[in-house]
Amino acid sequence: MEVESNLLIVVIDVNPAQKYVRSDSKQFFNCVDSVLTFCNAHLMLQASNKACVIASHINQSHILYPIEEREGVTLKPIRQVDGQYEVFLELEKSVRSQIKKFVMSDAFTSFDSTRSADSSGNFTTCLASALGKALCYINRKERELTAGEKLNSRILVVSGSSESTAQYMSFMNVFFSAQKLGVIIDACVLGPYATLLSQGADITGGIYLRPPHIPGLLQYLLWVFLPEASLRKQLALPPPVPVDYRAACFCHRQLIDMGYVCSVCLSSK
Amino acid sequence: MTSSEDVLLQMPNVKYKKDDGTLYVMSERLAWIQGNRDVVTLSHKYADIKSQKISPEGKPKIQLQIVLHDNSTFTFHFVNPEGQQGQIGDRDQVKELLIQLLPKFRIKVNRELEEKNRLLMENPRLYQLYRDLVTERIVTADEFWASHAQQFLSSQKPVTYQEKGVSSGFLSGIKPETDGMNGIRYNLSTDVIESIFKTYPAVRRKHLECVPSQMTEQEFWTKFFQSHYFHRDRLPLLKDLFSDCAKTDDKEMRRELEKIKVVGSDVISILEDSERVDMSASEMADPVNPKDKDKVTAQGIYQNMIKRFNQHSIMILKACERNSAKEGESNSSSNSAQPSNSATDEQAMVNGSSSKKKKKRDKDKDNSSTSAAPVENGDSGASASLVQPLEPPEVKRAKIADKLAFEDLMSTETHSYAQLNLTRIDRYLNGPVPDHKTDVVSSDELQRASLSMREHVPRWEGRPRLLDSPNAVKIVGELQPGGALMKGSHPDSVALTLPKEVEQDIRSMYGSLCEVLRHFWSCFPTTTPALEEKAKNSYQTLKRFEQTKITQLKERLLRDHLDSSKLLSHVMSIIAAADGKYNQWLQRNNRR
Amino acid sequence: MGILQHFAECKSLVDYLKTLSNHVVDDLFGYPAACLAIFRELPKLAQNYVLRILYVEQAIPQAVISTWVSKAHVKEHSEAAEAISTLRVWKEVTMQGGLAGWMLDHKFRHNLKVALLGGGKQWTKSTNLDQDSKPRTVKDLDLYALERWEAMLHFLTEKQQKSDTVSKDTIMTLTHAGLMEQDENNAPSITNEGFQFLLLDTASQVWYFIVKYLETVEQRGLSTAECLAFLFSLSFATLGRDYGTEGFEDNMQQFMQHLREFGLIYQRTRKAGRFYPTRLALNLASRNNKISLDTEKHKTGFIVVETNYRLYAYTDSDLQLALVGMFTDFLFRFPNLVVGVITRDSIRQALRSGISAEQIISFLKMHAHYEMIKTAHINNPLPPTVVDQIRLWEMERNRLTFTDSVLYNQFLSHRDYEVVRDYAQETGVLLHGSDQKRTIVVKGSGHDDVKRFWKRHSKNSS
């Protein structure tokens, strides 16, 4: 009689600095559509499944769905326009409108280029804050459970950005908190190799995938990331990518095999 | 008679199957010769005899029957012309002898087989080897035990045959039977009698004195059972046979206690004190008859019990000292602590449920035993270790600390600790990630990209065609096990799909094969003729093994449609290596 | 166990679908909502399979699909494949090269995609529906649904029937379902199965009732598939939202009126242009979610059972009290609380009317108070002593079984006895034979047979 529900949180990277976006911006919207269809497929599996979509930008992140009701603002109910299930339609429509709003807004382009870029001039997405928001959402949902309900959560990160060294600590904090909470973090990487995300997937028991063929993103998502944790054991999924856990020297920022460790702060040289 | 054994007893007038003859009880066998012949008609080793039976009393025929292990029986009829009494006497003689002899042989035979059985049961690998090699007639049983199981057999150190002690409650195990006439029958077997003698040496002495000179066995034992040894509430003060036993026991105990010289406690004085106290208590309780020590008082009974326990403990100690004296001749004095430890252990076990008073006494005895043992072993020639008085731990610690600290080496300064000032705190907040050669995006490019995104926004409506079938099929192909993305995953190999029995078979076959091969390879280089012989034999064994087991396995695999060539490739290669080596060796030999 | 038998057959949507004929299922595949409902009923692994090949429009070899699962879980794979095949979601095809393959049913694939992505027809024409002048809140809808459903259940329990509370159609359905029967006065009265029905949880009741109703639907000129599809679409609607009624044909409108009567939808008037689905209709297809129709008067979790067999029912609703009163003796009654005690007599009385111990226990579990669930586990909120005792009281009734039989004794000889006994055993009518007393007990039905045999035998021997 215990009701088990699965919560899927998708973190979409809307940073225009991603390589695949810069080359063709239409591809970006296709990818968003694929991700939304994937979310709907997740909701389709079970009536008790839930989803949440978070967008992550260079210096900000927003929860796009579900939209919280604000006092005084009654939203017009989204009605079925065709045979699509209402809930799916709702998700798609709201996320799309939110993204449109965001892209057109000033906040999208107003970033202080001196502050947001890190030392090497990269404009990287602040995924860590988006992941943090996701974890807070999960925590809230867990508190709202009634007796006899169980919530399994997982996070999927769809991103093509390169990684920022400045976020290392935050990333590690997020990954270890997720591990403690029992939350799986999957990574679908559309750009260059992402060390931190692969480490995160390894730590939390998720899957790291780099689809070679980006337009077919939906099939990859449906195949690899849709099954829930208990099913993943039964299915034959892509093998884990060997993670480079070597430490980097603190002063030279180079990967080292053997080095010295400070006994106070555990930083290595 | 051409045997070289000793004849322990010769009994004429014994009929077997209605023939007259003589029964010979020898050291290893029982033999019967008919009439005046020379050749032995009937002979059975004691090892083969399972048990003996006698005809019940009251029957006219006096017979003795021996039962062999295979349940065949042989009956001997005693026909002493003197009459029934003589016959009974004859038969009893034979019986007594047999009773003594049979157990010795029984143990020996069984022991060997038991050993082997036990080994096989304990070692499943050995058992498997045995099954594979011996039952398939690749190796004979003797060879097996000689070579393969050698390590197991020899690793058994000679079991130190520890004498089984006598439990303090064994007397209660003698269950009496009523014989219908207001009397009680006690059945005494030799074991019980042995135990009684072991526990009470005084009784043994008395027995030697009295029987058979003054009284019969029966009378002696009747008296024993009436005595204080058996009845708790009968004090040894009655003037009966065993009262002086009690006195001797007391004297023994005193002597033992006197051996104890522990600093700070005087056991004997405690003992005397307690006795005095008891006496006075009984005096106070019953002032009318102060001197009536014959009366059965409660105090007296308790004292008696306690004395009994103490005697038992002393017996145990003595036994252990005897043991340790035997070992002490070969061990150094450092091991002398061990037997006494075992003594204390035994003591603790035996006296587990005793009264508190006795525990205190035992503690004293513990201390005494540690000191007594080295004194006892003084005759072994080892140096006696001094008795260390037990010190309280604080004193010990102080002493040790004293010895460790050397004042003149200690430094006189006190350190002041420096405060830790961190520079560049952000180093600790932002860990290092190695700099990848990431593409640097200039802010111009960024602006361009965001603008193009904005342009596209109005066009983002409707239902896009997300995925078409050919693409989907292509991607599905990539994601199949064995596809581009699945490299590195371990597809379920043949090994995982083997049914369990086949796996087991292969495993056990490997075990036996490796055992055979081990013996084969150990023969090379052949330095002695014995090794050459062994090499030849083991090669033969290997060949036999190959013929039987390997072909069996191959057939089995073929039946199950499994790929035998892949599975058995390793097996074939190691056999081929052995073949090659043997042939090479043969050639070299022939050349010489 | 009458109702449970019927029940087992259509316990879940899957089983019910299996009972439908092929062409009905085919029709069903034409509706996206139905496809979605069927999809949700599949086991999880099967769902993943279907989604994986949703976009692949060709057959896939079975061997390939079986490699998707690791070897250790072959059993789950075959179960999943089996489930998909029985629902006819995919069918076997032979591909080139003679390999056996599977291909998704074309209609199913198309409509599932519609449900997922869009396209196709909408279910109700509600896009341009303007704001309802008198909107109904969720609470109102719950009250309404409860009132309607309880009216029907009351109808089942009351002795004197006021036949205007419930329409003739409902009575017809109830009779067809076997919950009521005509007694001597030609008035409908409740049957044993009706009692059992009352003790089920609301979701099961609704489902059972609808299933039985659908069995009569063909007679009224509606197609089962269409009604089912409507029901499925209804179950996927959002609670508290109104939907337009225009565009439905007349017989569908009639169907909707029936639903209105059962309490599954709410319409203010018969001709109103909008309707609201109620909680009873939601999640009709997937009965995993408990429907909790909580109002002040009527809460679903209202029973507290103590280890001393006392029962406290925090309710005022007559129906609920009537249900509880079937197997407890009431001691006190307060405005919001009723105290009763579960005794041997009360349970036996319930058992006599045909309710089983399992049903009583599941009823108690279903309505266990939230506090009980919190302190104990949700799977067994009741004290085990009470549960076991109820079962024991039921088993007491099974101590003795009666069979009609005939006793043979006083055989003259042992041989005679043996002969008769063996014959009786061979023909299978022997119930008991005692060698010492030389008596045989034979079933009543076999008595003549054995008698004839004996006469023949004694004639032969004498």
Side-chain angles (χ1 to χ4, degrees):
Chain A
M1 296 221 309
E2 206 177 48
V3 178
E4 248 195 59
S5 52
N6 291 308
L7 171 61
L8 171 72
I9 304 187
V10 183
V11 174
I12 307 182
D13 189 353
V14 297
N15 188 353
Q18 297 172 78
K19 191 158 185 205
Y20 81 99
V21 174
R22 276 183 288 134
S23 53
D24 181 6
S25 50
K26 180 159 178 274
Q27 226 180 31
F28 169 73
F29 292 105
N30 276 349
C31 288
V32 173
D33 280 331
S34 306
V35 169
L36 291 177
T37 314
F38 168 72
C39 289
N40 283 336
H42 170 79
L43 290 176
M44 190 160 77
L45 293 177
Q46 248 185 299
S48 54
N49 282 1
K50 304 202 184 357
C52 166
V53 180
I54 303 180
S56 152
H57 193 42
I58 295 176
N59 52 0
Q60 52 198 295
S61 56
H62 301 285
I63 297 185
L64 300 178
Y65 175 85
I67 311 169
E68 302 301 321
E69 285 201 6
R70 305 240 169 115
E71 299 161 22
V73 180
T74 45
L75 303 160
K76 186 155 172 268
I78 296 179
R79 298 223 175 248
Q80 217 183 14
V81 290
D82 50 18
Q84 194 181 22
Y85 180 30
E86 259 183 352
V87 176
F88 300 160
L89 183 63
E90 209 175 302
L91 188 146
E92 273 192 16
K93 265 208 168 156
S94 38
V95 173
R96 278 195 187 171
S97 65
Q98 291 281 14
I99 288 188
K100 281 186 199 172
K101 227 167 49 178
F102 181 58
V103 170
M104 302 308 263
S105 70
D106 294 328
F108 193 63
T109 44
S110 74
F111 34 82
D112 194 351
S113 36
T114 49
R115 260 186 44 197
S116 312
D118 67 353
S119 48
S120 44
N122 275 333
F123 288 99
T124 57
T125 324
C126 60
L127 277 177
S129 87
L131 288 172
K133 277 205 175 142
L135 285 178
C136 291
Y137 185 80
I138 291 175
N139 197 27
R140 174 158 71 109
K141 284 296 164 192
E142 293 235 335
R143 297 234 179 129
E144 289 173 2
L145 291 178
T146 53
E149 289 177 11
K150 193 167 166 305
L151 185 69
N152 298 327
S153 332
R154 63 183 197 272
I155 304 179
L156 170 66
V157 178
V158 180
S159 158
S161 311
S162 43
E163 297 201 310
S164 135
T165 56
Q167 294 182 50
Y168 178 77
M169 281 303 175
S170 338
F171 263 113
M172 285 302 145
N173 280 335
V174 164
F175 293 147
F176 285 116
S177 328
Q179 191 190 38
K180 268 268 175 60
L181 275 179
V183 173
I184 295 177
I185 298 188
D186 296 320
C188 184
V189 169
L190 307 170
Y193 178 69
T195 351
L196 287 175
L197 280 179
S198 72
Q199 284 185 16
D202 192 53
I203 291 172
T204 57
I207 302 178
Y208 174 90
L209 183 71
R210 209 165 151 238
H213 187 67
I214 294 190
L217 180 64
L218 179 60
Q219 185 68 22
Y220 292 107
L221 291 175
L222 286 178
W223 192 281
V224 178
F225 295 110
L226 190 61
E228 56 185 38
S230 54
L231 271 188
R232 284 185 190 187
K233 282 184 254 181
Q234 299 179 5
L235 289 168
L237 293 170
V241 171
V243 187
D244 193 353
Y245 271 121
R246 280 182 299 172
C249 164
F250 260 66
C251 33
H252 301 102
R253 297 288 172 86
Q254 281 166 357
L255 290 174
I256 46 175
D257 284 328
M258 298 225 290
Y260 299 95
V261 176
C262 164
S263 47
V264 173
C265 61
L266 295 182
S267 51
S268 40
K269 239 160 66 113
Chain B
M1 204 86 82
T2 52
S3 71
S4 50
E5 295 169 20
D6 304 327
V7 178
L8 298 171
L9 180 64
Q10 194 172 342
M11 186 66 60
N13 295 320
V14 177
K15 271 199 183 179
Y16 175 70
K17 289 214 191 324
K18 306 223 192 274
D19 292 329
D20 280 318
T22 319
L23 186 68
Y24 293 89
V25 182
M26 322 222 290
S27 56
E28 269 184 39
R29 64 174 81 216
L30 185 69
W32 183 78
I33 299 183
Q34 190 185 11
N36 291 320
R37 300 219 192 137
D38 272 339
V39 184
V40 172
T41 319
L42 200 61
S43 139
H44 296 291
K45 282 200 150 100
Y46 292 131
D48 295 333
I49 299 180
K50 189 164 74 169
S51 61
Q52 61 169 335
K53 294 189 193 164
I54 55 172
S55 53
E57 296 197 5
K59 282 263 173 86
K61 260 193 175 181
I62 307 297
Q63 289 179 322
L64 180 85
Q65 187 186 67
I66 52 174
V67 185
L68 299 189
H69 282 297
D70 51 4
N71 282 337
S72 56
T73 59
F74 300 91
T75 317
F76 297 103
H77 186 190
F78 290 86
V79 286
N80 199 327
E82 286 170 27
Q84 221 182 25
Q85 282 295 57
Q87 290 165 5
I88 292 178
D90 286 344
R91 186 199 63 196
D92 286 340
Q93 270 187 309
V94 178
K95 184 186 84 173
E96 295 292 308
L97 261 182
L98 281 179
I99 286 178
Q100 290 167 12
L101 290 167
L102 282 179
K104 288 191 216 151
F105 287 90
R106 200 177 302 161
I107 299 171
K108 254 196 237 161
V109 170
N110 284 351
R111 207 179 274 180
E112 270 180 41
L113 266 178
E114 256 178 49
E115 270 300 309
K116 287 188 182 163
N117 264 342
R118 199 176 52 82
L119 273 177
L120 284 180
M121 287 306 142
E122 277 174 17
N123 275 304
R125 252 192 60 235
L126 191 65
Y127 187 55
Q128 186 68 25
L129 267 180
Y130 187 82
R131 262 218 334 244
D132 283 337
L133 294 177
V134 175
T135 50
E136 305 267 331
R137 295 188 196 289
I138 298 174
V139 171
T140 63
D142 292 333
E143 252 185 68
F144 175 77
W145 287 112
S147 52
H148 297 271
Q150 192 54 40
Q151 65 199 100
F152 291 98
L153 287 174
S154 60
S155 67
Q156 299 288 332
K157 294 199 195 81
V159 178
T160 45
Y161 191 58
Q162 200 181 36
E163 267 178 39
K164 227 198 312 192
V166 179
S167 87
S168 50
F170 77 95
L171 278 177
S172 58
I174 308 172
K175 289 193 178 52
E177 307 161 354
T178 48
D179 62 358
M181 282 184 300
N182 248 9
I184 310 177
R185 277 183 77 81
Y186 286 95
N187 279 332
L188 288 175
S189 66
T190 13
D191 283 333
V192 175
I193 295 179
E194 266 304 308
S195 321
I196 295 179
F197 284 161
K198 261 203 247 174
T199 321
Y200 304 113
V203 175
R204 181 190 287 231
R205 278 194 293 263
K206 263 283 183 261
H207 181 91
L208 283 174
E209 288 169 32
C210 306
V211 173
S213 46
Q214 290 177 16
M215 58 180 85
T216 64
E217 287 265 359
Q218 257 188 330
E219 282 177 27
F220 178 78
W221 289 115
T222 324
K223 282 254 164 73
F224 172 79
F225 281 117
Q226 288 170 347
S227 77
H228 71 100
Y229 278 109
F230 206 62
H231 293 269
R232 191 163 38 126
D233 46 1
R234 290 188 203 173
L235 289 181
L237 309 168
L238 298 174
K239 298 275 181 298
D240 75 344
L241 197 55
F242 292 96
S243 49
D244 45 354
C245 289
K247 288 200 194 110
T248 38
D249 284 335
D250 274 345
K251 266 190 259 165
E252 273 280 333
M253 208 165 75
R254 291 266 162 134
R255 227 178 339 129
E256 289 288 325
L257 292 179
E258 270 161 26
K259 283 191 207 157
I260 303 164
K261 285 188 178 55
V262 179
V263 175
S265 74
D266 188 1
V267 182
I268 298 178
S269 56
I270 292 177
L271 184 63
E272 286 171 357
D273 279 341
S274 64
E275 284 176 351
R276 239 179 288 134
V277 166
D278 291 336
M279 292 302 179
S280 58
S282 63
E283 276 173 12
M284 302 216 310
D286 215 352
V288 179
N289 304 318
K291 291 206 180 101
D292 198 351
K293 291 193 191 138
D294 287 344
K295 258 230 169 117
V296 180
T297 57
Q299 288 293 333
I301 293 175
Y302 296 149
Q303 264 201 326
N304 209 21
M305 256 204 315
I306 291 171
K307 273 197 205 144
R308 183 84 45 76
F309 281 128
N310 290 338
Q311 277 160 9
H312 193 82
S313 318
I314 293 181
M315 300 295 302
I316 293 173
L317 278 181
K318 275 213 230 156
C320 293
E321 282 164 12
R322 272 203 304 274
N323 274 348
S324 62
K326 280 188 228 152
E327 286 175 26
E329 280 153 10
S330 43
N331 296 342
S332 63
S333 66
S334 57
N335 288 341
S336 64
Q338 281 173 346
S340 42
N341 280 343
S342 57
T344 53
D345 288 350
E346 269 199 65
Q347 217 171 7
M349 278 193 310
V350 164
N351 301 330
S353 56
S354 53
S355 59
K356 277 193 189 146
K357 220 195 214 175
K358 203 185 70 58
K359 263 202 181 132
K360 207 168 56 146
R361 291 244 176 115
D362 286 346
K363 280 227 173 67
D364 294 337
K365 284 228 175 62
D366 282 353
N367 293 341
S368 69
S369 62
T370 47
S371 49
V375 173
E376 287 293 311
N377 284 336
D379 54 343
S380 67
S383 59
S385 47
L386 286 173
V387 173
Q388 289 277 1
L390 291 175
E391 293 172 337
E394 301 88 39
V395 175
K396 273 196 201 159
R397 243 182 263 141
K399 275 200 203 163
I400 293 173
D402 255 344
K403 298 239 162 98
L404 283 182
F406 290 96
E407 275 172 7
D408 43 3
L409 288 181
M410 281 199 219
S411 58
T412 43
E413 313 122 32
T414 50
H415 297 279
S416 60
Y417 297 100
Q419 202 65 9
L420 183 65
N421 295 326
L422 295 173
T423 52
R424 298 197 60 190
I425 296 183
D426 58 323
R427 278 263 214 112
Y428 302 105
L429 295 174
N430 306 321
V433 167
D435 285 341
H436 289 292
K437 295 210 176 46
T438 48
D439 43 355
V440 181
V441 182
S442 67
S443 45
D444 290 331
E445 281 185 19
L446 194 57
Q447 291 284 18
R448 243 183 296 137
S450 34
L451 279 175
S452 88
M453 272 173 77
R454 281 189 175 166
E455 274 172 35
H456 197 79
V457 159
R459 286 184 260 155
W460 190 30
E461 290 286 345
R463 308 239 152 266
R465 276 193 55 89
L466 284 172
L467 194 59
D468 50 358
S469 181
N471 260 339
V473 174
K474 192 176 86 177
I475 295 173
V476 168
E478 278 177 14
L479 288 168
Q480 296 288 5
L485 284 175
M486 303 285 272
K487 286 209 192 94
S489 74
H490 305 284
D492 303 302
S493 53
V494 176
L496 291 175
T497 54
L498 271 185
K500 270 225 150 77
E501 307 89 37
V502 178
E503 200 186 310
Q504 291 282 31
D505 274 346
I506 292 183
R507 201 173 281 190
S508 55
M509 187 269 297
Y510 255 100
S512 355
L513 177 67
C514 291
E515 181 67 24
V516 171
L517 278 177
R518 187 170 70 87
H519 282 277
F520 174 73
W521 285 105
S522 63
C523 308
F524 297 98
T526 47
T527 41
T528 69
L531 279 178
E532 286 180 21
E533 260 316 300
K534 190 168 173 219
K536 289 208 183 87
N537 282 342
S538 43
Y539 186 69
Q540 297 303 323
T541 315
L542 181 66
K543 277 290 143 202
R544 275 202 300 267
F545 185 86
E546 191 186 345
Q547 275 152 20
T548 49
K549 274 282 172 170
I550 307 280
T551 38
Q552 263 180 22
L553 206 58
K554 272 201 186 138
E555 280 165 28
R556 173 85 180 274
L557 289 176
L558 276 174
R559 252 206 335 253
D560 291 340
H561 307 292
L562 291 167
D563 191 0
S564 67
S565 59
K566 238 202 255 176
L567 286 170
L568 295 180
S569 61
H570 179 247
V571 173
M572 304 315 294
S573 66
I574 49 181
I575 294 183
D579 273 343
K581 176 72 186 180
Y582 186 71
N583 289 330
Q584 201 187 45
W585 176 73
L586 264 186
Q587 272 177 0
R588 252 193 237 137
N589 251 8
N590 292 343
R591 256 186 259 144
R592 273 199 258 122
Chain C
M1 290 292 146
I3 201 174
L4 288 184
Q5 241 170 3
H6 300 175
F7 215 65
E9 282 168 24
C10 39
K11 200 159 189 218
S12 69
L13 180 59
V14 179
D15 297 326
Y16 175 63
L17 287 173
K18 283 190 207 159
T19 64
L20 295 176
S21 60
N22 266 0
H23 84 274
V24 173
V25 175
D26 223 24
D27 284 341
L28 261 185
F29 281 170
Y31 298 94
C35 293
L36 187 58
I38 295 173
F39 177 78
R40 278 199 173 161
E41 284 293 309
L42 292 171
K44 290 189 188 164
L45 190 59
Q47 286 176 333
N48 273 287
Y49 284 173
V50 170
L51 280 178
R52 279 182 174 192
I53 59 176
L54 189 63
Y55 279 95
V56 176
E57 289 180 11
Q58 57 191 58
I60 306 232
Q62 290 182 8
V64 166
I65 297 188
S66 58
T67 59
W68 291 352
V69 192
S70 70
K71 284 280 190 286
H73 300 276
V74 173
K75 193 173 77 124
E76 281 92 342
H77 163 78
S78 44
E79 277 171 12
E82 167 88 26
I84 307 181
S85 307
T86 39
L87 286 173
R88 301 171 218 132
V89 167
W90 69 17
K91 40 186 197 289
E92 268 201 43
V93 286
T94 342
M95 301 171 58
Q96 287 173 343
L99 284 172
W102 275 314
M103 194 159 89
L104 270 188
D105 184 273
H106 180 68
K107 245 179 161 180
F108 181 84
R109 179 212 305 274
H110 175 75
N111 280 303
L112 193 65
K113 269 200 202 165
V114 162
L116 181 61
L117 303 167
K121 271 192 335 187
Q122 47 177 294
W123 166 49
T124 57
K125 295 199 174 42
S126 334
T127 13
N128 299 324
L129 209 58
D130 48 353
Q131 195 74 332
D132 191 1
S133 47
K134 292 192 213 125
R136 286 276 173 259
T137 62
V138 175
K139 221 162 109 183
D140 299 331
L141 292 173
D142 281 346
L143 266 173
Y144 174 75
L146 195 61
E147 184 201 318
R148 295 302 321 151
W149 193 251
E150 283 207 345
M152 201 183 63
L153 294 182
H154 258 301
F155 182 72
L156 273 177
T157 51
E158 301 277 296
K159 294 290 176 179
Q160 288 102 357
Q161 316 298 358
K162 285 176 265 174
S163 28
D164 50 348
T165 47
V166 178
S167 77
K168 277 219 208 62
D169 284 322
T170 322
I171 302 181
M172 206 168 75
T173 318
L174 286 172
T175 329
H176 168 84
L179 302 175
M180 305 201 82
E181 59 190 4
Q182 304 277 2
D183 64 357
E184 313 85 46
N185 308 338
N186 259 0
S189 70
I190 190 168
T191 60
N192 272 356
E193 292 170 353
F195 275 122
Q196 297 173 3
F197 175 79
L198 284 175
L199 283 183
L200 293 172
D201 59 299
T202 323
S204 313
Q205 284 175 338
V206 172
W207 174 243
Y208 183 74
F209 191 75
I210 291 290
V211 163
K212 290 295 172 192
Y213 175 79
L214 284 172
E215 285 174 10
T216 68
V217 122
E218 295 276 340
Q219 304 159 354
R220 299 168 212 252
L222 296 165
S223 90
T224 321
E226 209 181 330
C227 294
L228 259 182
F230 182 82
L231 282 170
F232 287 144
S233 314
L234 188 65
S235 71
F236 290 130
T238 328
L239 187 63
R241 202 178 277 189
D242 48 355
Y243 294 87
T245 53
E246 46 177 288
F248 284 110
E249 298 157 7
D250 282 335
N251 36 12
M252 283 304 290
Q253 296 270 11
Q254 206 197 24
F255 179 61
M256 280 164 58
Q257 288 308 314
H258 282 151
L259 291 181
R260 179 178 171 221
E261 197 193 317
F262 299 151
L264 268 72
I265 63 178
Y266 167 78
Q267 254 183 320
R268 235 187 11 262
T269 66
R270 207 180 159 89
K271 291 277 185 257
R274 63 187 79 233
F275 68 91
Y276 292 83
T278 64
R279 226 186 266 268
L280 287 179
L282 253 46
N283 299 311
L284 184 67
S286 69
R287 296 184 303 106
N288 284 334
N289 293 349
K290 291 197 313 188
I291 300 181
S292 43
L293 285 166
D294 282 349
T295 59
E296 273 107 33
K297 253 182 72 174
H298 167 122
K299 290 218 179 305
T300 38
F302 64 95
I303 296 184
V304 177
V305 182
E306 284 185 340
T307 51
N308 57 358
Y309 295 88
R310 284 242 174 158
L311 188 137
Y312 302 88
Y314 285 87
T315 180
D316 201 25
S317 143
D318 283 331
L319 175 68
Q320 285 185 324
L321 290 179
L323 290 178
V324 173
M326 284 202 282
F327 54 86
T328 56
D329 293 334
F330 286 136
L331 294 174
F332 313 110
R333 186 159 174 173
F334 297 104
N336 65 336
L337 167 69
V338 171
V339 180
V341 66
I342 301 180
T343 64
R344 186 165 173 274
D345 289 328
S346 66
I347 293 286
R348 281 175 71 88
Q349 173 206 325
L351 293 171
R352 265 197 295 269
S353 36
I355 312 172
S356 80
E358 274 312 311
Q359 287 172 321
I360 297 179
I361 291 168
S362 64
F363 176 80
L364 286 173
K365 258 197 220 172
M366 210 64 64
H367 297 282
H369 197 274
Y370 178 65
E371 291 292 322
M372 283 187 70
I373 297 179
K374 240 186 1 183
T375 45
H377 190 196
I378 186 156
N379 283 335
N380 30 341
L382 303 172
T385 46
V386 178
V387 171
D388 286 340
Q389 186 60 61
I390 296 180
R391 291 209 181 107
L392 283 173
W393 279 328
E394 183 191 33
M395 288 202 272
E396 272 181 3
R397 307 179 86 222
N398 300 336
R399 272 174 52 217
L400 303 172
T401 51
F402 295 99
T403 2
D404 260 344
S405 49
V406 179
L407 172 75
Y408 296 85
N409 62 354
Q410 291 174 0
F411 285 94
L412 294 172
S413 73
H414 199 73
R415 257 214 72 238
D416 291 339
Y417 160 79
E418 274 178 11
V419 160
V420 178
R421 185 197 65 193
D422 291 334
Y423 177 74
Q425 190 146 39
E426 276 162 36
T427 44
V429 294
L430 180 73
L431 282 177
H432 171 74
S434 157
D435 283 352
Q436 289 140 333
K437 301 196 203 140
R438 291 212 210 137
T439 53
I440 294 179
V441 178
V442 163
K443 278 192 216 167
S445 52
H447 167 59
D448 293 324
D449 206 14
V450 177
K451 198 160 79 168
R452 259 175 294 149
F453 167 79
W454 174 242
K455 286 215 173 88
R456 266 202 323 261
H457 176 82
S458 50
K459 266 199 214 120
N460 287 347
S461 52
S462 58

